[in-house]
Amino acid sequence: MKISKIINPVLNFFFPDVCIVCGEDTDKNNLSVCRKCLNKIEFIKPPYCQTCFLPLPDGGAHCWQCRKTKYHFEKVIAAGLYIGILRELILKFKEKDFLKMALGNLLVEVLVKNIDINQFDLIVAVPLSKKKEFGRDYNQSQLLAELLADKMNKEVISGNLIRVKDTKPQFELSRVERLVNLKDAFFVKDPSVFKNKNIVLVDDIATTCSTLEECSSVLKNAGAKKVFCAVLARD
Ligand SMILES: [Zn+2]
Ligand SMILES: [Zn+2]
């Protein structure tokens, strides 16, 4: 058992209302992050790419990558940029599962602004590799998916989209290598569950969107109608 697993609940028992970023009082908001720190998060404001949510400082509807790529997903929706406080919170989230409240709320907020909630049926998390899941106690994308499902009154489907191949960490690779690396990495156990469904696919960070694309392609091949991707941060 990891030492943090023992210490964190103890710390949180004695200091339940302390901001994990700055140590100030959270005013009992149950988010473990104070309002001041939450306000410092840099949300993505227009103009951004209508497909991948990448900020476009020079305007336009699509980034150059999306102009030349046909994806299996409809679009990516991201809460903020992978910098500053949001980056810090996402990194901490790998160890501190209670951050799902603060981060999940951000994702719900940006999702309802960008897609019609009545338009989709199911929520699915990008699965972690077995190796990673073993070293960790949970898949943070799965926690986010569960929170989203709970807040939006939708069904979350776990264990049907699975990772069948342990891949190299994506950040070590170029764009083309990333796609090759992910080839045949995912698999749907029972396609009938996804047949004709509109799915929200959840992950923590989108860098080149290759993981989202590979999962979306597998979901579409399983019969899904549309896939929307929801991520905490665009890198
Ligand atoms: Zn704070
Ligand atoms: Zn784009």
Side-chain angles (χ1 to χ4, degrees), residues 49 51-54 62-63 66:
C49 174
T51 304
C52 76
F53 231 83
L54 196 72
H62 297 278
C63 70
C66 291

Side-chain angles (χ1 to χ4, degrees), residues 52 54 65 71 76 82 170-171 173 175 178 203-212 231 233-235:
C52 76
L54 196 72
Q65 189 63 50
Y71 296 105
V76 177
Y82 191 54
Q170 290 285 85
F171 61 82
L173 308 170
R175 187 180 176 86
R178 283 174 192 228
D203 207 358
D204 51 358
I205 313 160
T207 303
T208 60
C209 300
S210 33
T211 304
L212 296 172
V231 298
R234 190 72 178 85
D235 191 10

Side-chain angles (χ1 to χ4, degrees), residues 96-163:
K96 302 180 172 18
D97 60 352
F98 54 83
L99 282 174
K100 71 178 176 192
M101 286 305 285
L103 292 169
N105 282 351
L106 291 179
L107 205 48
V108 171
E109 222 173 284
V110 73
L111 256 190
V112 294
K113 268 189 216 155
N114 285 282
I115 58 171
D116 177 7
I117 304 302
N118 301 316
Q119 226 188 90
F120 71 87
D121 311 293
L122 306 173
I123 303 183
V124 177
V126 170
L128 271 186
S129 69
K130 277 277 155 260
K131 219 158 59 189
K132 272 198 200 159
E133 202 153 13
F134 185 71
R136 225 177 270 170
D137 299 321
Y138 54 90
N139 171 2
Q140 65 269 34
S141 302
Q142 178 65 28
L143 292 189
L144 287 173
E146 284 163 14
L147 193 110
L148 245 59
D150 196 38
K151 298 236 168 196
M152 296 179 166
N153 206 11
K154 301 280 175 184
E155 195 182 349
V156 61
I157 304 291
S158 316
N160 199 32
L161 172 67
I162 54 167
R163 201 185 275 256

Side-chain angles (χ1 to χ4, degrees), residues 4 55-56 59 62 67 75-76 80 97 100 107 130 132-133 137 159 164 176 184 187 194 201 215 229:
S4 61
L56 297 175
H62 297 278
R67 278 203 295 267
K75 58 154 86 180
V76 177
D97 60 352
K100 71 178 176 192
L107 205 48
K130 277 277 155 260
K132 272 198 200 159
E133 202 153 13
D137 299 321
V164 282
V176 176
D184 304 321
F187 177 76
F194 295 142
L201 179 66
C215 285
C229 304

